[in-house]
Amino acid sequence: MKIAVLGTGMVGETIASALVAKGHDVRMGSRSATNEKAVAWAQKAGARASTGTFADAAAFGELAFLCTKGDVAQVALESAAAGLAGKVVVDVTNPIDAGKGRPPQLFVCNDDSLGERLQKAFPALKIVKSLNTINCNIMVNPGMLAEDTAVFLSGNDDGAKAVVRRVLTEDFGWKQIFDLGDITTARGPEMMLPMWLRMWGALKDGEFNWRLVRKSK
Ligand SMILES: NC(=O)c1ccc[n+]([C@@H]2O[C@H](COP(=O)([O-])OP(=O)(O)OC[C@H]3O[C@@H](n4cnc5c(N)ncnc54)[C@H](OP(=O)(O)O)[C@@H]3O)[C@@H](O)[C@H]2O)c1
């Protein structure tokens, strides 16, 4: 499958590398077609890897992962939106307000979410919020944890969520995938970030995840 990864940070690189390793053709997008990190990644990742602007990557991919800073996600998608019309966009961003210092605060929460804002701003895109609650190494390799743990899906389009579920299962190895419902349910996973950050501080290690346990039948 041809996949766009919009973002050159650690999340973009980790997801892009995992997808190439699974035999997908991946184009990493950035504000610049010659972004140093993207070019270095493509050289390392081999023939299935390529780079371009956000717009180039969007036009290339049948599916896209949005892996930019949360506060610029809308700006990044604006330059990519034409190429993404009708396509599934996996939104892994968190709405961190970079201007508010530490511990980070959310710039949208409670009665709205970044996932919803993006879906409203780009109605032609099929936004699926997922993976934002999980460290990027675990996103693509949940088996590195001692037990099966949970990943969430939020989105308005069931077909789009089925596509994302397939990638999570077949390419990344996820077993506990919870469809929370429409894109308004992205509020919950986005609001897990402050708790995630406190757990990270307490454990002094970001490679953990949540597990859902229900009463025995
Ligand atoms: N780190 C994790 O394990 C983890 C886990 C879950 C979710 N997340 C979320 O995943 C996202 C990516 O995190 P990250 O640490 O990999 O990368 P990041 O440093 O948060 O973001 C890097 C990307 O943001 C783009 N960007 C920065 N300023 C921009 C602007 N003004 N306009 C357009 N694009 C701009 C950069 O574009 P250029 O390529 O042009 O520089 C780059 O591609 C974040 O939203 C984060 O909260 C991270």
Side-chain angles (χ1 to χ4, degrees), residues 7-11 30-31 67-69 92-94 132 134 136:
T8 57
M10 66 168 90
V11 177
S30 163
R31 282 170 289 181
C67 310
T68 63
K69 288 184 193 305
V92 309
T93 65
N94 278 303
N132 68 298
I134 299 159
C136 59

